[in-house]
Amino acid sequence: MKIALIGYGKMGKIIEQIALSRGHEIVSRIDIDNQEDFNSQAFKSADIAIEFTAPKVAVQNYKKAFQAGVSVVSGTTGWTEQMPEIKALCEEKGLAFFWASNFSLGVNIFFAVNEYLARIMNQFPTYQVGMEETHHTQKLDAPSGTAITLAEGILNNIERKTEWALGEGKAQDPTLTIKAIREGMVPGIHTIQYESDFDYITITHDAKNRNGFALGAVLAAEFACGKKGCLGMKDMLKF
């Protein structure tokens, strides 16, 4: 498979190593200083592009890739209010767009556990729920896309919670509070805690490094290659 990389920072370089180890070819590497390469024959020859950049440039990256006839796998978060536009453009071009707030297999298992636990806790209103996420200082969006996905899993299953907001503690109202911490080089820690007058129930996912995210992105590219339409981790993992 011929892969183009959009974003060639730490994550892009790890993705490159994993893709090469799996027998794929990197035909184009696009970063801030060579945006003109979206129009190159090398980029257009790609079977698929893997994009990890920043919220303010992600949508334009998708549009440029689609214009070049290249499908996209992306893990950039913080832009999804424009998702309807990107889905429509993807379908119009007859390409694939695979997006996930987190490509880690462990995190996606965590998503499923979170939803299951929330369905149980819907029956026990004496428990208040709160969330905390910690990432490295280069993480630009807060809360993280992973935290938002976890929050949506809770809101969809606990009737007494109807919205999420950044803040502290475990609000006693319809708001699910998400505390976002930015420090050091933390790849990502997400914790959900239910608290009653008598005890705590806590679940946590703690990433050791970025390799799990990168491997998931390459697996997503393998899955999406040759397909059409909007795809996600649930399509690939089937749970």
Side-chain angles (χ1 to χ4, degrees), residues 51 53-66 74 76 78-83 85-86 89 97:
E51 195 267 3
T53 58
K56 65 181 180 181
V57 297
V59 171
Q60 287 305 311
N61 288 337
Y62 308 150
K63 290 180 178 179
K64 290 175 183 177
F66 291 160
S74 177
T76 303
W79 63 272
T80 49
E81 69 280 355
Q82 294 176 261
M83 183 68 82
E85 177 187 3
I86 295 305
L89 185 59
F97 180 67

Side-chain angles (χ1 to χ4, degrees), residues 151-172:
E152 290 171 346
I154 292 170
L155 298 182
N156 290 339
N157 289 284
I158 295 184
E159 295 170 358
R160 60 188 180 274
K161 293 295 183 182
T162 59
E163 62 182 2
W164 62 263
L166 279 172
E168 301 272 349
K170 300 170 184 63
Q172 301 283 331

